[in-house]
Structure formats: structure tokens, C-alpha cells
Amino acid sequence: YEIAEQIGPKLAQAAVAAKVDGKVTDLKRPLDRDVALEIVTVDSPEGLEVLRHSTAHLMAQAIRRLYPGTKLAIGPVVGERFYYDIDCPKSLTVEDFPAIEAEMAKIVKENWEIRREEISKADAEALFREMDEPFKLEILEGLQDGEISLYRQGEFVDLCRGPHVPTTGYIKAFKLLSVAGAYWRGDSSRPMLQRIYGTAFPKQSELEAYLQRLEEAARRDHRRLGPALGLFSFHEESPGFAYWHPKGQILYRTLENFSRELQEARGYQEVATPWISRSQLWEQSGHWEHYRENMFRMEYEGESLAVKPMNCPNHCLMYKEQTRSYRDLPIRFAEYGPLSRYELSGTLHGLMRVRGFHQDDAHLYVREDQIEQEIFGVLELFDVVYSTLGLKYSIKLSTRPEKFLGTVETWDRAEQALMRALEKAGRPYEINPGDGAFYGPKLDIYVTDALERVWQCATVQLDYQLPERFDLTYVDAAGSHKRPVMIHRAIFGSLERFIGILVEHFAGAFPTWLAPVQARVIPVGINYFEYAYGVAEKLKRMGIRVEVDSRNEKVGYKIRDAQLQKIPYMLVVGEKEAASGTVAVRHRSRGDLGAQDVEAFGRAVADEIARRALD
């Protein structure tokens, strides 16, 4: 902090933390050696995280004041929000938030110094035992002596690594957002806690802009729009599995067929494999050891079986059924079948987190000299799909995790191959250390939607392990048996999740080619029903998805309903249109487009659909 002051008062005023030799730390930590120093300001990503982490402590202090006996668990920052898991004597609701926020504002005004203390593990255990904080004591069990730090502000003390802002007065603009249930450490056999979410920003204006974005996100929420538009629903009888309604199934199949069309033109072969297999298959693949807790398992006739969470082991069995030549490679298997993964009930979230889903899944078996070209081909597919949908994307290369199959040498080769492919393709990317799959490094594709939110969708994984485990080979030009390399690849990722993202990205107003109903014919009265159905029949023959609104309602009501249903084109027909063979065209966003010949309108819309044009 003193160095920031020497550089300039404005920097000192904006500073909330420091980065010492690359590690974010408190402004008040003394420097006892030469270091690489960077002052972290409140408008940087690291500074915002420090601010929000400190606001989580501020909220916990306010709750403890208002509700004595509250036990604290953990309070991390997640993106633009923070939360704190608590065991509170009172079941809190959003109605309690104003009182908590008022107490938080009071603590800000008190401007308590936020002090870091480093103590022994034994002293920390004694302190939190005296405070009757069982969750903190359990956290301490997993810590080594010499790593224990506390933060104090006024009467409040918390077990925390930090860093934090220097005083509570630094926290200017905050808002509590929601409350939900959360099992301690995500374990359904452990206590259910209350999770209070909030956010914080350097300025009130930034907070208000964020809250407006939240309102827009709520308006676009796929869990509300999906049922309202007749796309899908969920029922308690099948938690985590979507019920696709006729309109939703049209949307689903349109996307799936788009993927099929692209893949067939690029040499992919579609296959279908069983969705239940004996445990031996998953033992051989390594999933039984590394992924079993995420699989639906069953016992039947003395055997252990599991519903497949992914297709790769089955595709390996199909590859191995016959002798492969180096001339046969690359072999590209694609599959759209059902997959299922066990997700805790508390983590389920509409289409974004489900237990049953489908992928535009593919596995490519290639020679080592083909890796880069095949990665180029996959990247080109990303470009086509995401540009068609008007989505920007970025790439992260996720490297070897702590627990992995195979050797460090093969992992290094795989990571270097992905890097070379990206660099030769001229694609910028970030390294995401330690987040690879247990069998290989991967490229994660992050899509940015209309609200500038980032979603992880597609993935490309380079795998030397499964070909080894399944003893996959091909015969090279010299007659020797060589091991192929396997590329796991999905463009949409989970179709369910991708559709959830698209619903929110387009706010339900899909481009015409994706819209389940592309045009609705609206007769002004019963005398024009026959003409309306004739118009609909002509348009159907031209490949347009069209319906007739034959309800006994006023025209204005029918138009408003079509607008609410996000139908791209409304075709009003009455005496004038019937006499001239035309339709009065309205577009959901462009308004009145005037009278148009039925055939001419149909050709224009059919062309729009064929081009997969964005609005």
C-alpha cells in the first residue's frame, strides 16, 4: 500500500490487493525481499474477486449479528457472484435480505480494519471449538500446520486464506440475490445448509447495470420460456430428464439434422451402440475406477451393469471388430444416442444440468501424422456451426490433471500435438492447467451468448489411453501393427444444454430455419378459413412449417399471441387477400411487411430457411 501511495494517490485509492511474484495477496502484507510487484485495482478481475470475497465475509458478519448461533461453512466467489453456506437458526428468505443488507451497510460505515493473522493449527482448533463452529473444525482437519490464516474485522473472525480489502469501508455497492439449499460438501448424507448468494461492484452504477442484466436473463430463462413456447417440460416423476413436446422435438431434430448434414459431408459414419453394458467394459476403459460415482449402476442376474455416460468404449469395440489398414484411417464414428450421468438432485438445473442427454458425439481414429489435419477439420466444423448461429467462441487447452491414465510422456506428446494444431491453424487459446480428462488433454470451447455470458459447450480430447487399453491397432505400410490415436469430439456438446443456451441467447425468437413454427396464417373471420388452409397447404409444399389459427378470437388477439409465441411470420388473410391471392405479412420484429403474393412469399422464406439465415 505504501508503494502504491508513492506511485500516486489515485492508484492507492483504487488498490484493493497486490500481486507478489504472481500471487494475489493483501495490500498490508510486508515485503521482506525483492519481488515482482503489481498493484491490483478494484476494476481488474483479481480486484473484483477480492472485493466480492470480502463482501461474503461482510454478509456473514451481518448474519451472525442478526441471528446469533449461526454456524459458518464456506463462502467463495463464483464468477460475478459470491455465496456463503450457513447453518442459521432461522430459515432465511428474500424477505430477510433488506435487514441483512442494512446491517452490512452499518458494518461498512463502521469501517473495521480487516486484519490477517497466522496461527498454529492447534490454536485455530481451540478457537473454533470455543466458537462452536463445527464446519470450520472439519475444514481444519484437512489443513497442514503452518498453513492456517484467520481474518478479523471487529468482532468477526473467519478461517480464510484471503486476500481481502484493507477495511470494510472499501465495500461500496452490494446486493443479496437469492437463497437456496446446499448439502455440506455436496454430500446428500451431510447436513443441508442455506446458501446465500450476493454480488458486489466498485460502483453503484455498475451494480445497477448488473441487476438489469439479471432481469434480462430472468426474462430469457429457458426454464420459463421452454414450457411457455411448448418446447419441453420437466416432471418430478423423472428428475433430470426432459419431456420434449412436439415443437421442442422439431427444434431438437432440426439441430441434429444440421449436425448430420455437416458430418456426412466430411466423411463421418453414423453408428448406434447399446446404452447398457457390463461393468467389465467400464473397467477396461477406466471409467469404473475414475467415473463410477457419476454412472447409473444396477445389479441383474448376479452381474454389475451400467447405463453408458459416454460412447467411447463402445466405439472402441466396433473399431476392433476388423483388421484396419493405414489406408482406412482416419475412421470417424458419429453417434446421437442417449447418454445418462448421475447428477445430485440439488445440482439439476433445467436443460443446463440434466441426467439424461444426447450429444453430437464422434470418435476419430487417426495415425499420429493425421492428428493436426483432423484437429483442423474439427475447428472448421466449429466455425461453421457457431457462425451459423451467430455465436462467438474461444478456446482453452486443458492439460494433465492430478489423477490420470497413462504416462507423463504420452500426455506431453498429446498436449504438444494440440498446441501445434492450434498454432498452425492460427487460433488463439488459453492454457487451463490440470483440467484435462483423466485419459487425455482437451480443447474446451467457450461460447459467448447475447448477454455476454460464457458457456462451455464443445470439446475435443486427444486420447492415447483407450487405444492402449482396448489394444486397438492398424497395419502400416510395412505390415507392422501400430496403435492409432483417438480424438473424442462433440460440437454442440449436450444437445439438451445447447438448446437451453440457444433459448436464452435468442430469447425464444429463433432464426426462421430453427423456429418450430415458421409462419402462422390468421384468417380475419370464419368465411376465410378455406383460403387460410389453402395458403398453409401451399407453404407446406414449399418446405415451410406453418399452422392456421382458426380460433374464434379477434385478429388483434391472434397477432399478439403469435408474437408471444415468437413465430417469425404472421400472415393475415381476409376478403382482399382471398380475392388477390395474397397474404398480409407481419414479421415478429420488423412489423408490417405489406401484402405479398403467396408463391413469392413462400420462395423468399424457403430461401431464408435454406441459407439458415440469422434474423
Side-chain angles (χ1 to χ4, degrees):
Y1 181 75
E2 289 170 358
I3 292 169
E5 280 187 314
Q6 291 169 19
I7 295 170
K10 286 187 177 179
L11 180 62
Q13 187 177 9
V16 289
K19 197 181 283 187
V20 176
D21 289 336
K23 183 179 179 181
V24 181
T25 188
D26 296 295
L27 278 173
K28 294 182 180 179
R29 293 285 290 274
L31 297 176
D32 55 5
R33 68 187 190 283
D34 285 345
V35 298
L37 177 65
E38 180 182 341
I39 302 300
V40 175
T41 60
V42 74
D43 55 357
S44 68
E46 295 97 335
L48 276 172
E49 183 168 349
V50 170
L51 177 70
R52 288 167 180 152
H53 190 181
S54 299
T55 313
H57 279 219
L58 175 70
M59 179 182 73
Q61 183 177 8
I63 290 172
R64 287 271 292 272
R65 282 186 177 185
L66 292 171
Y67 309 106
T70 295
K71 313 299 180 192
L72 303 181
I74 57 171
V77 176
V78 183
E80 293 179 300
R81 301 185 300 169
F82 61 81
Y83 70 79
Y84 217 121
D85 286 349
I86 62 171
D87 183 6
C88 183
K90 183 182 190 300
S91 181
L92 299 175
T93 69
V94 292
E95 282 75 27
D96 298 303
F97 287 179
I100 298 171
E101 289 168 345
E103 191 63 34
M104 291 169 70
K106 181 180 174 184
I107 298 168
V108 168
K109 194 172 181 180
E110 291 166 0
N111 198 24
W112 291 105
E113 180 187 5
I114 302 176
R115 301 194 318 274
R116 178 185 174 93
E117 298 177 11
E118 295 183 1
I119 65 175
S120 69
K121 184 175 180 179
D123 287 346
E125 288 172 335
L127 173 65
F128 286 104
R129 193 173 291 112
E130 182 184 347
M131 293 172 62
D132 191 21
E133 289 283 8
F135 303 111
K136 300 296 180 182
L137 286 169
E138 188 173 330
I139 293 170
L140 280 166
E141 288 175 9
L143 299 181
Q144 299 295 320
D145 201 2
E147 296 182 352
I148 313 303
S149 58
L150 311 175
Y151 279 83
R152 292 183 184 271
Q153 53 197 57
E155 82 288 355
F156 180 78
V157 60
D158 202 354
L159 176 69
C160 185
R161 289 193 178 94
H164 287 283
V165 298
T167 74
T168 59
Y170 274 64
I171 305 169
K172 305 295 184 185
F174 53 83
K175 181 72 177 173
L176 303 190
L177 301 172
S178 62
V179 57
Y183 290 113
W184 170 231
R185 293 192 159 171
D187 186 343
S188 59
S189 67
R190 308 296 301 277
M192 172 66 81
L193 305 175
Q194 296 182 69
R195 176 169 292 179
I196 315 296
Y197 284 98
T199 191
F201 285 87
K203 300 176 184 175
Q204 187 65 28
S205 59
E206 293 176 30
L207 174 62
E208 288 170 2
Y210 172 76
L211 295 175
Q212 287 175 359
R213 292 201 305 275
L214 284 187
E215 287 180 14
E216 177 61 17
R219 188 178 74 81
R220 292 170 178 254
D221 191 331
H222 75 284
R223 293 169 297 174
R224 182 184 67 82
L225 278 178
L229 298 176
L231 302 177
F232 55 82
S233 60
F234 288 89
H235 294 276
E236 289 299 322
E237 289 79 0
S238 302
F241 292 81
Y243 287 71
W244 289 97
H245 295 215
K247 290 179 181 178
Q249 192 69 355
I250 290 170
L251 171 61
Y252 199 105
R253 293 301 177 210
T254 302
L255 280 170
E256 193 175 80
N257 290 336
F258 176 40
S259 171
R260 275 197 175 92
E261 178 186 314
L262 295 174
Q263 294 190 154
E264 285 175 6
R266 290 161 175 79
Y268 287 78
Q269 304 172 74
E270 188 172 340
V271 299
T273 59
W275 56 92
I276 296 177
S277 298
R278 288 171 169 161
S279 60
Q280 290 93 314
L281 175 70
W282 309 109
E283 288 167 6
Q284 186 173 0
S285 68
H287 289 93
W288 205 248
E289 177 184 357
H290 293 271
Y291 204 76
R292 178 170 43 181
E293 296 309 312
N294 299 94
M295 298 168 69
F296 282 102
R297 308 186 303 274
M298 64 195 82
E299 296 291 326
Y300 183 71
E301 294 183 346
E303 289 188 305
S304 295
L305 302 105
V307 181
K308 67 176 177 180
M310 50 201 63
N311 293 308
C312 30
N314 283 326
H315 289 187
C316 287
L317 292 183
M318 292 186 74
Y319 177 94
K320 196 175 179 180
E321 285 178 11
Q322 56 185 277
T323 302
R324 309 287 182 174
S325 163
Y326 71 98
R327 294 189 184 91
D328 298 327
L329 273 54
I331 291 171
R332 308 179 186 97
F333 289 150
E335 183 164 2
Y336 297 89
L339 301 172
S340 192
R341 297 176 186 175
Y342 175 68
E343 303 283 358
L344 292 171
S345 58
T347 67
L348 300 176
H349 181 79
L351 293 178
M352 303 303 194
R353 194 74 175 264
V354 291
R355 288 171 171 169
F357 63 100
H358 302 69
Q359 288 182 326
D360 59 334
D361 195 17
H363 295 95
L364 288 57
Y365 297 90
V366 305
R367 305 190 306 264
E368 282 218 42
D369 63 289
Q370 296 172 323
I371 290 173
E372 291 177 24
Q373 191 58 41
E374 287 303 302
I375 297 295
F376 292 163
V378 173
L379 292 173
E380 184 262 340
L381 262 176
F382 291 151
D383 290 342
V384 173
V385 169
Y386 291 129
S387 64
T388 300
L389 293 164
L391 294 166
K392 299 174 290 183
Y393 75 86
S394 60
I395 302 173
K396 289 187 180 181
L397 169 56
S398 298
T399 58
R400 186 177 68 246
E402 286 186 18
K403 294 183 178 179
F404 61 91
L405 293 178
T407 65
V408 171
E409 179 187 53
T410 55
W411 271 84
D412 288 345
R413 285 213 324 267
E415 289 171 8
Q416 289 299 320
L418 287 177
M419 287 180 192
R420 283 195 306 273
L422 288 169
E423 285 160 9
K424 286 187 178 180
R427 303 303 177 95
Y429 66 94
E430 294 179 36
I431 298 290
N432 188 16
D435 202 41
F438 66 84
Y439 46 79
K442 59 179 180 169
L443 305 181
D444 288 322
I445 307 303
Y446 289 84
V447 170
T448 303
D449 71 8
L451 295 182
E452 296 298 316
R453 297 173 301 181
V454 177
W455 306 91
Q456 197 271 311
C457 291
T459 185
V460 186
Q461 300 162 359
L462 194 56
D463 183 0
Y464 285 78
Q465 311 309 325
L466 284 188
E468 183 76 32
R469 282 179 165 254
F470 283 88
D471 192 26
L472 306 184
T473 61
Y474 67 90
V475 180
D476 69 6
S480 301
H481 285 264
K482 294 286 183 66
R483 192 79 70 203
V485 182
M486 189 173 173
I487 298 173
H488 307 243
R489 186 246 67 185
I491 306 297
F492 295 136
S494 157
L495 272 158
E496 280 73 5
R497 186 167 182 271
F498 194 75
I499 288 173
I501 292 167
L502 288 184
V503 170
E504 298 192 0
H505 175 65
F506 290 115
F510 300 107
T512 303
W513 71 276
L514 267 181
V517 178
Q518 294 161 332
R520 180 181 284 181
V521 186
I522 300 173
V524 301
I526 193 169
N527 293 338
Y528 307 105
F529 279 13
E530 184 178 350
Y531 179 68
Y533 280 105
V535 167
E537 194 57 39
K538 281 184 182 178
L539 296 178
K540 284 177 183 176
R541 287 198 296 268
M542 300 175 81
I544 298 168
R545 295 189 287 268
V546 60
E547 63 185 22
V548 177
D549 189 341
S550 58
R551 292 175 296 175
N552 184 25
E553 298 286 355
K554 292 181 179 180
V555 173
Y557 174 87
K558 293 181 180 182
I559 291 172
R560 284 194 300 275
D561 182 67
Q563 290 275 172
L564 290 172
Q565 288 297 305
K566 318 283 187 178
I567 296 169
Y569 293 99
M570 292 145 272
L571 312 177
V572 181
V573 297
E575 181 179 3
K576 182 179 174 182
E577 290 76 24
S580 59
T582 61
V583 287
V585 182
R586 291 186 62 86
H587 188 270
R588 67 184 171 205
S589 60
R590 298 196 297 272
D592 187 1
L593 302 182
Q596 297 183 27
D597 175 78
V598 174
E599 295 284 346
F601 169 79
R603 285 193 298 272
V605 174
D607 176 67
E608 183 183 347
I609 293 166
R611 290 185 292 108
R612 295 190 174 96
L614 286 166
D615 263 355

